[in-house]
Amino acid sequence: MSKRPAPGPADGPTIDDLTTAYRTAATTVSDVVDGVLASIADRGDDGTWISVAERSELLLRAKQLEAADPTSLPLYGIPFGVKDSIDVAGVATTLACPDYAYRATQTAPVVERLIEAGAIYVGKTNLDQFATGLNGTRTPYPVPRSVFGGELISGGSSSGSALAVASGQVPFAVATDTAGSGRVPPALNGIVGLKPSRGLISTVGLVPACRSLDCISLMARNVPDIATVLDVVAAPDDRDPFTRLRRREAPDPGTLRIGLPDPGQLEFFGDAPMRDAHLAARARIGRDFERVVTAPFGPFLAAGELLYQGPWVAERLTEFGEFLSSHPDSVLPVISTIMQSGDRYSAVDVFAAEHRLGELKTEVRQLWRAMDVLILPAIGTTFTVDQVLADPIATNTMLGHYTHFGNLLDLCAAVVPAGLTADGRPAALMVLGPALADDRVLAVAAALSGDLVPPAAPPPGRSRPGEVTLAVVGHHLSGQPRCADLLDRGGRLLATTTTAESYRLLRTGGPTPVPVLVTTPDSGAAIEVELWGLPAAALPEILARSSPSVCLGRVALADGRTEIGFVADTSALDDEDLADITAFGGWRAYLAAR
C-alpha cells in the first residue's frame, strides 16, 4: 500500500529550482510542461482549475522557449496559473458563473508581461463566484479543499490559485485581492501571498469586484519567488486610473520597527489552538527583531467594519447588477443576497462612509510614524466546508477579520506560514505596511519565514559597470521585432517605466509603421518606455540597424533622471502620414487597440 502524503503543501519546484535546472540542462521546458499536465491529471477535478490550456499549445510554447537562451528571460519556462476573473486572449473568462462567461479578445497586461518574460500560462483557476467571498465554497464547480486535509476550506475568492501552488502544480499564480482574497487562501494552504499596493500592478483586463479597491495579487511557495515575479509585473499603466510607480528600497529588516497589537485586542473566535500557535509565532518575533513596538489595532478594525457594513458592497452592482437582474437563476443564492444588499445604500450613505474612512486613514497615517510594519494573524480560525455552508455569512466575516481593512486603508501586505496548531491546522502571519512599502513588507516577510530575498532590483536605468542604459519606446520593446537586436548583443531588460510628462508619441507612415518620441514640454504626456542595459560597444551597431526615423538623444524619465534613448530624427517630422498616438500612452497600447 502506498504511503499517504503528509498534509500540507506539496514539495513542488520553486522558480529558482526550475531556473537552475534549465540553465544546467537538467531538464527541458517540454519535460516540465508534461510534468505539470500529469500533476493536474493525477489530482483530477478537485476544484483547482476551471480551464487548462491544450497540451499541444503548451508544448508549442515550450519548443519556442527551448530555441532561446535560458538566461535571456527572467521567468524562462516557469508555469503559472491565472484566476478566472483575469482575461487571457482566446480563453473564456467565467468568474465561476458559466452563463456570464465570455471569450476574451485581449490578454491582461499582468499576464502579458509574464508571458513576455518567458513564463508559461497553464490555465484558469477556480474562485468564489464574481470574486465575492473569502471561503472558496461559492462556486458551481467542485469546491476546492485545503492541502491540509480534514475537509478544511481552501479560502477564497482566489481558492484555485492558492491550491495550484500549494499542491505543487505550478510555482506561482496570479490572483486578486479586494477584501482579502489574495491573503486568506495562502494562509489556509501554507504558502506565501502578496497583496501589493493598489495600482502597482495593472488591473486592466480584470473584471472588477469593487473597482476602487481591487488589486492583482501574487502567490508562490516562498518570498524570493514572489519578489522575482513582482519585479516583472510591477509597472505603471496609464489605462489603470489607480496606477503607481514602485518605490524601491532594500531595507535591513533587523533595523525596522515592528508593530504588534496588544494580545488582548486579537480575536481568535474561540479557537484556542490557533491563538496558541499565533502567540508562539509572536514570541519568535520578539526574539528575532530588536525594535518591537505596541500598535493600537482599533482604527484598522473600524475601517474593516465599513467594507461590508457600508456602501462599498453596492460597488459590485455597478459591474454585475444588470446581469443579476436579467439572469437571477444563474447566480448562486448567497452571492445574489450579498449583491442585492447594495441596493439599500444611498448617496448620503456613500459620503458618510467616505468621511468616516477619511478620519480613520488619518489616524492610521499617524500610527505609521511609530512603526514601519504591522504584524497580525492572517486568519483567526479555520472552517470546514460543511461549517461554511451551514453559516456562509458569519464564517466569511470571521475569515476577513484581519484582511477587510487592507485596501480601504491603502495598505500593502504579505502572508507567510507560521507553523501549525496543535491539531495540525495552518497558522499564518500577515505583514502590513503603508502604500508603496512593498519592498519593506517583503523583507520582513522573508525574515519571518527564513527566506533569503534577492536584493531589490535596481532603480530603473541603473546598469552595470561597462554598460550603458538605453530607453526604447517601440520596435525594441520586449516581444517587438527589434528586441532581438538587444538580446543578441548582450542586452538585458532593467525595468519598464515612463517618461516625464513632456513627450508626444508619433507614428510615422510606411509599410512598417514606426513610433517616434518627440519632446513637447507644454503639451506632453508620460509615455511607456523600457530601459535596457547594453554593452557600450554594442550601441553603434544597434543604432545602425534601427529605423532612419529615430536617432539617439536624451530622454527624461518620470523620476527626474535622464538616459540615452531613441527619439525622433528630424526627417521623421516631415512625413506626410505622421499621426499623433500619444493618447495611447505607449506603443504596445496602440498596437493592442488597432
Side-chain angles (χ1 to χ4, degrees):
M1 180 181 294
S2 62
K3 183 179 179 182
R4 182 181 177 186
D11 189 21
T14 65
I15 292 176
D16 186 60
D17 291 336
L18 287 179
T19 297
T20 300
Y22 289 139
R23 294 180 179 182
T24 59
T27 192
T28 67
V29 184
S30 295
D31 288 341
V32 169
V33 164
D34 279 336
V36 170
L37 292 175
S39 176
I40 292 172
D42 287 345
R43 291 186 63 88
D45 197 0
D46 65 351
T48 301
W49 303 92
I50 288 180
S51 65
V52 176
E54 295 290 336
R55 182 174 185 272
S56 59
E57 296 176 8
L58 293 172
L59 288 178
L60 176 61
R61 169 71 168 155
K63 294 300 182 185
Q64 291 170 340
L65 287 168
E66 286 166 359
D69 181 353
T71 65
S72 64
L73 296 164
L75 293 176
Y76 177 95
I78 308 298
F80 70 102
V82 176
K83 183 174 180 176
D84 200 8
S85 57
I86 301 170
D87 285 346
V88 176
V91 179
T93 301
T94 74
L95 279 92
C97 181
D99 290 342
Y100 179 85
Y102 63 91
R103 191 164 298 277
T105 58
Q106 294 184 337
T107 297
V110 59
V111 179
E112 197 171 55
R113 293 183 67 82
L114 292 169
I115 293 172
E116 290 173 351
I120 302 175
Y121 161 76
V122 171
K124 292 292 198 73
T125 54
N126 203 355
L127 68 156
D128 278 327
Q129 192 174 73
F130 297 117
T132 301
L134 290 175
N135 57 76
T137 69
R138 299 170 177 178
T139 173
Y141 302 101
V143 174
R145 268 72 170 173
S146 166
V147 294
F148 285 92
E151 285 296 294
L152 291 175
I153 58 170
S154 179
S157 61
S158 308
S159 53
S161 296
L163 197 54
V165 174
S167 60
Q169 296 176 69
V170 293
F172 78 94
V174 179
T176 71
D177 191 304
T178 301
S181 295
R183 291 166 281 164
V184 172
L188 287 166
N189 284 283
I191 60 172
V192 177
L194 172 69
K195 187 212 81 64
S197 299
R198 187 176 49 149
L200 207 63
I201 303 173
S202 172
T203 57
V204 173
L206 164 67
V207 180
C210 292
R211 190 181 295 271
S212 66
L213 302 177
D214 292 335
C215 287
I216 297 290
S217 63
L218 303 173
M219 301 180 188
R221 301 185 60 79
N222 58 36
V223 179
D225 279 5
I226 290 281
T228 296
V229 177
L230 182 64
D231 282 344
V232 171
V233 297
D237 184 347
D238 287 342
R239 295 165 294 176
D240 182 347
F242 301 105
T243 193
R244 279 169 162 160
L245 282 170
R246 184 177 179 183
R247 180 190 299 157
R248 298 284 189 171
E249 56 181 335
D252 175 358
T255 66
L256 299 177
R257 298 166 298 171
I258 309 298
L260 293 175
D262 186 287
Q265 292 187 301
L266 301 178
E267 178 63 74
F268 297 94
F269 309 101
D271 189 339
M274 185 64 76
R275 175 183 172 85
D276 291 344
H278 175 73
L279 293 180
R282 182 181 169 117
R284 293 194 296 273
I285 295 171
R287 293 193 299 269
D288 295 344
F289 294 89
E290 294 183 3
R291 305 179 68 188
V292 176
V293 299
T294 300
F297 191 37
F300 296 92
L301 280 180
E305 291 171 358
L306 288 175
L307 185 62
Y308 284 112
Q309 298 176 22
W312 280 273
V313 69
E315 191 171 8
R316 295 178 187 266
L317 288 176
T318 64
E319 184 68 29
F320 304 116
E322 184 177 339
F323 180 84
L324 181 63
S325 297
S326 59
H327 298 77
D329 296 333
S330 299
V331 182
L332 296 176
V334 65
I335 303 296
S336 179
T337 298
I338 292 169
M339 288 188 178
Q340 288 175 341
S341 69
D343 279 333
R344 69 176 184 264
Y345 294 102
S346 68
V348 172
D349 296 325
V350 172
F351 283 110
E354 285 284 4
H355 296 163
R356 176 57 179 150
L357 179 60
E359 295 169 354
L360 293 170
K361 283 182 175 180
T362 300
E363 290 185 48
V364 169
R365 189 162 53 245
Q366 293 169 353
L367 295 179
W368 291 123
R369 297 172 183 170
M371 61 181 173
D372 296 303
V373 299
L374 172 68
I375 299 181
L376 301 172
I379 49 173
T381 189
T382 65
F383 298 103
T384 65
V385 171
D386 286 345
Q387 286 173 324
V388 170
L389 295 178
D391 194 354
I393 302 300
T395 52
N396 198 83
T397 299
M398 284 185 266
L399 287 166
H401 183 76
Y402 294 107
T403 64
H404 281 162
F405 53 80
N407 283 319
L408 283 171
L409 292 174
D410 198 13
L411 310 180
C412 55
V415 167
V416 294
L420 301 175
T421 62
D423 51 4
R425 293 172 293 129
L429 293 172
M430 181 168 59
V431 185
L432 293 130
L436 300 180
D438 303 78
D439 289 352
R440 182 192 317 167
V441 162
L442 283 174
V444 174
L448 289 172
S449 56
D451 291 330
L452 292 176
V453 178
R462 182 168 296 173
S463 47
R464 296 167 178 163
E467 286 185 334
V468 294
T469 299
L470 179 68
V472 301
V473 73
H475 290 177
H476 289 88
L477 293 169
S478 301
Q480 293 298 306
R482 288 293 183 187
C483 184
D485 290 349
L486 305 181
L487 294 171
D488 290 347
R489 289 157 183 80
R492 61 190 186 92
L493 178 62
L494 299 176
T496 300
T497 184
T498 63
T499 67
E501 294 183 356
S502 55
Y503 289 90
R504 309 296 293 176
L505 186 63
L506 308 179
R507 186 208 67 201
T508 62
T512 305
V514 176
V516 294
L517 201 59
V518 178
T519 306
T520 54
D522 297 330
S523 59
I527 305 298
E528 182 189 33
V529 294
E530 283 183 353
L531 302 176
W532 285 74
L534 294 164
L539 194 57
E541 187 177 359
I542 289 171
L543 178 61
R545 293 175 59 86
S546 300
S547 167
S549 300
V550 299
C551 63
L552 292 180
R554 288 286 181 178
V555 176
L557 301 178
D559 62 5
R561 293 177 298 113
T562 60
E563 297 292 356
I564 297 171
F566 284 121
V567 296
D569 185 85
T570 54
S571 62
L573 304 181
D574 296 329
D575 187 341
E576 61 182 16
D577 294 323
L578 202 66
D580 191 329
I581 58 172
T582 305
F584 293 94
W587 183 239
R588 283 199 189 93
Y590 167 74
L591 293 177
R594 293 177 65 185

